[in-house]
Amino acid sequence: MNGYCCQNGHQSFGLNFSMEATGYKVFNDSVHGHITLHPLLVKVVDTPQFQRLRNIKQLGFANYVFPGANNCRYEHSLGTCYLAGKMVEKLLSRESGPRSNEDKFKMTLCVQLAALCHDLGHGPFSHTWERITETWGYDWKHESASIQMFDYLVKENNLHEEFRKYNLGEEEIKIIKELIIGGPDENKKPLLANKDNFFYEIVSNKNTGIDVDRWDYFLRDGLHLNLRITFDYRRLLEFSTILYDDDGLTHINFRDKEMLNLYDMYRVRSALHYAAYRHKVVINIEQMCIDAFKAAGDAGYKINNSETLLKEAHLAPESFSTLTDHVFYDILYSRDERLSAAQQLLQRVLKRDLYKFVGSINFPIAKRLSKKEQKECIEKEKFKVLSKLENDCKGSKFSVEDFYLYLDSTSDPVANVKFYKKTGEETIEKETFENIKNRLAPFPFQLSEDRTAQLLVFCKNQDVKKNQLEKAENFVKQYKTQCIV
């Protein structure tokens, strides 16, 4: 191994040379400016499996409401890779224990590869595909698919030898896959030692949700949605460090004074959901397309003139690697008569002949409930509303969609964050969450004890009768006051 890994996984050889001549590549990114990637990262980028992400919109169907929201998973993956390199650089510069240059280089490259490949498993229109597979009875998640796609990418492009050039063998490939999902599979021993546990919190932080994946998509989505993003990730990087906690593992810690900056990060998340991700027209269009894709799948539609059924395409990386947002127009322009129901729905989307919005229902979700219990509670309520509507309004079909930001059971998003305070040059003392809260109080906003979920009700019938729609609207209005969870 020649040289030592410095900023963003680059090697410092102490020589004058052209970065591009040695395999590095410069990308001009709309969010972060010029990004320089290591030759191995470039090899991964220049594969069909990674290039596929150019044709998967990050924001699903949001561009039907926000015309500029056409950003894709490809550019987000590059941005996440860049931020991962910046975070590793900052954290390793503040590490107290010894670490060899070889190990720094290897871990930086592993984390950047994980960040680069963390979204390989997304299907058409990103998170929408997970909802589509649910309608076919699958419990399929893009995170697991990303692991499969990463293995497939390395194998199909014969990259094992490229990995070995930089001393990344089978063990490191396994570590990269753990970094993608933020730790080992349940009940498995982590591959990284206790002192290296903090690496698991960079790309996908299961404990706090504060990671470079979110930082990039907050900034990128805000740019393309023309929404102002105020939290400062650069400041968070400057006030972050690595400390051991009571569990004997290292964790990423932030200065106590940055608590409000972190709250602002979650406020940004909330604002993006309210303004765009869960905009009622976006939800409406998404539901129409889900119904269209389900109809096409149930009709036996096969992708790309192959023998692979649409409803099974996500089960194998070979077929999944050819599935992108183009499926919308493949179905729309197909001459297969069995697809008429699906095509009618897609035509309605293009003509803006959407499902009729009936109204919304708000109801409280108790603070004491876990995330799983919250979800079960909402699904139960959706089923109850849908059953009652379709029973009362015979002949009409409805859709009930939920809008709820799942946080932790305490309703306080930064409760699990590790903080430290400045006490001197020799040692850094940890700061308790409650102490910081008491010192910073009163907050410029109210943390709710209980949270409110919202159900959005749509009527699917294109020619719904006026009296039927009025009956449904009255039901929704009355249900608002009757619903108690």
Side-chain angles (χ1 to χ4, degrees):
M1 182 74 233
N2 296 318
Y4 147 63
C5 169
C6 58
Q7 185 174 15
N8 293 322
H10 307 159
Q11 283 175 272
S12 176
F13 294 83
L15 298 172
N16 261 335
F17 62 88
S18 165
M19 297 288 280
E20 290 179 276
T22 57
Y24 286 83
K25 192 170 183 179
V26 178
F27 297 81
N28 190 359
D29 181 61
S30 60
V31 174
H32 305 295
H34 290 88
I35 295 172
T36 304
L37 295 188
H38 183 277
L40 181 58
L41 302 174
V42 175
K43 287 285 186 181
V44 171
V45 169
D46 293 338
T47 63
Q49 293 75 26
F50 190 87
Q51 292 292 316
R52 163 183 174 270
L53 298 180
R54 289 181 182 272
N55 296 307
I56 295 178
K57 289 187 181 66
Q58 176 146 325
L59 297 176
F61 297 97
N63 64 315
Y64 283 87
V65 178
F66 300 87
N70 288 299
N71 46 312
C72 60
R73 290 284 160 184
Y74 173 85
E75 58 204 62
H76 164 61
S77 297
L78 293 177
T80 305
C81 177
Y82 166 78
L83 289 181
K86 296 293 285 182
M87 178 167 263
V88 173
E89 176 193 356
K90 289 292 184 184
L91 292 175
L92 290 184
S93 71
R94 294 159 188 157
E95 191 175 30
S96 57
R99 187 182 295 269
S100 68
N101 287 344
E102 177 71 20
D103 191 38
K104 289 179 181 179
F105 173 83
K106 185 181 294 186
M107 286 310 304
T108 301
L109 207 46
C110 282
V111 172
Q112 286 197 287
L113 282 163
L116 190 67
C117 298
H118 79 285
D119 273 350
L120 285 176
H122 268 295
F125 303 100
S126 292
H127 292 287
T128 302
W129 193 253
E130 288 167 314
R131 297 193 59 206
I132 294 167
T133 60
E134 270 183 38
T135 68
W136 293 322
Y138 295 105
D139 182 18
W140 179 87
K141 301 297 180 188
H142 80 271
E143 291 89 352
S144 300
S146 291
I147 300 298
Q148 295 177 332
M149 288 293 289
F150 176 69
D151 281 334
Y152 181 68
L153 179 153
V154 173
K155 181 181 177 183
E156 279 295 294
N157 297 281
N158 301 311
L159 292 182
H160 283 97
E161 188 58 39
E162 289 293 329
F163 275 65
R164 281 193 285 269
K165 284 183 183 177
Y166 305 100
N167 290 342
L168 302 183
E170 290 300 324
E171 185 72 8
E172 284 71 33
I173 288 176
K174 290 177 183 177
I175 289 172
I176 291 166
K177 290 188 285 188
E178 283 193 348
L179 293 170
I180 287 174
I181 58 174
D185 289 336
E186 196 173 352
N187 300 322
K188 283 191 177 180
K189 185 179 178 182
L191 292 172
L192 293 180
N194 291 1
K195 73 179 180 68
D196 292 334
N197 180 76
F198 71 94
F199 285 117
Y200 289 129
E201 299 175 348
I202 294 174
V203 177
S204 178
N205 194 326
K206 291 179 178 179
N207 296 323
T208 66
I210 301 169
D211 51 49
V212 294
D213 174 24
R214 286 172 176 81
W215 288 356
D216 184 82
Y217 84 68
F218 289 167
L219 296 166
R220 196 168 303 277
D221 292 356
L223 174 68
H224 290 275
L225 291 165
N226 194 29
L227 298 174
R228 187 164 177 262
I229 305 303
T230 55
F231 91 95
D232 189 350
Y233 83 87
R234 293 181 181 85
R235 183 173 174 85
L236 290 175
L237 282 179
E238 291 300 328
F239 292 101
S240 61
T241 194
I242 310 163
L243 292 174
Y244 277 94
D245 202 51
D246 296 337
D247 57 7
L249 305 174
T250 55
H251 295 278
I252 298 172
N253 287 241
F254 296 95
R255 266 293 303 275
D256 51 358
K257 64 181 181 179
E258 293 309 302
M259 180 179 278
L260 290 184
N261 194 6
L262 292 171
Y263 273 121
D264 195 41
M265 188 196 89
Y266 277 95
R267 186 202 57 75
V268 165
R269 173 179 179 261
S270 177
L272 287 168
H273 275 272
Y274 277 98
Y277 303 159
R278 303 303 287 169
H279 187 290
K280 69 179 180 182
V281 180
V282 174
I283 292 175
N284 193 341
I285 293 171
E286 180 184 51
Q287 186 56 49
M288 292 183 74
C289 292
I290 289 172
D291 290 345
F293 293 140
K294 184 180 188 305
D298 291 344
Y301 175 70
K302 296 177 181 178
I303 66 167
N304 304 320
N305 298 315
S306 69
E307 292 302 309
T308 303
L309 292 170
L310 176 65
K311 65 196 307 182
E312 296 177 355
H314 60 283
L315 299 179
E318 295 83 358
S319 55
F320 192 60
S321 63
T322 68
L323 190 63
T324 64
D325 291 2
H326 74 266
V327 70
F328 182 104
Y329 287 100
D330 285 352
I331 294 171
L332 183 65
Y333 297 139
S334 174
R335 295 184 179 182
D336 189 337
E337 293 180 356
R338 297 175 301 170
L339 299 180
S340 60
Q343 290 170 336
Q344 286 174 18
L345 283 168
L346 297 182
Q347 284 286 5
R348 285 181 63 184
V349 168
L350 295 179
K351 293 178 180 179
R352 206 69 166 192
D353 179 15
L354 308 180
Y355 291 158
K356 299 287 189 300
F357 178 63
V358 177
S360 60
I361 297 170
N362 296 318
F363 65 97
I365 300 292
K367 173 183 174 180
R368 57 182 173 77
L369 298 179
S370 66
K371 283 185 183 180
K372 182 180 179 182
E373 290 170 330
Q374 291 171 15
K375 189 170 184 177
E376 290 172 351
C377 177
I378 291 171
E379 290 302 316
K380 182 180 177 181
E381 201 67 29
K382 284 166 62 177
F383 178 78
K384 188 166 41 170
V385 170
L386 184 61
S387 300
K388 188 76 167 63
L389 270 171
E390 295 194 344
N391 184 60
D392 289 356
C393 305
K394 299 290 186 184
S396 295
K397 291 290 181 185
F398 296 89
S399 172
V400 182
E401 303 303 312
D402 69 271
F403 177 22
Y404 183 67
L405 293 180
Y406 296 95
L407 294 170
D408 55 38
S409 59
T410 66
S411 284
D412 199 333
V414 305
N416 296 327
V417 178
K418 311 293 182 184
F419 292 98
Y420 70 92
K421 59 183 177 180
K422 179 182 177 182
T423 56
E425 297 181 2
E426 297 295 325
T427 61
I428 299 177
E429 292 183 10
K430 289 188 293 183
E431 177 71 299
T432 66
F433 175 69
E434 287 303 324
N435 282 350
I436 304 171
K437 282 189 69 174
N438 292 335
R439 192 169 68 249
L440 295 180
F443 290 104
F445 48 83
Q446 181 63 43
L447 294 172
S448 58
E449 290 297 313
D450 292 303
R451 301 181 63 80
T452 300
Q454 185 179 59
L455 303 185
L456 303 177
V457 181
F458 302 93
C459 181
K460 296 185 177 185
N461 300 62
Q462 192 171 13
D463 54 353
V464 61
K465 294 179 180 179
K466 184 178 179 181
N467 67 325
Q468 288 282 70
L469 190 59
E470 288 177 349
K471 192 173 183 179
E473 288 172 346
N474 288 332
F475 169 82
V476 169
K477 288 176 183 176
Q478 292 170 7
Y479 201 91
K480 286 182 179 179
T481 58
Q482 295 172 357
C483 178
I484 299 175
V485 178

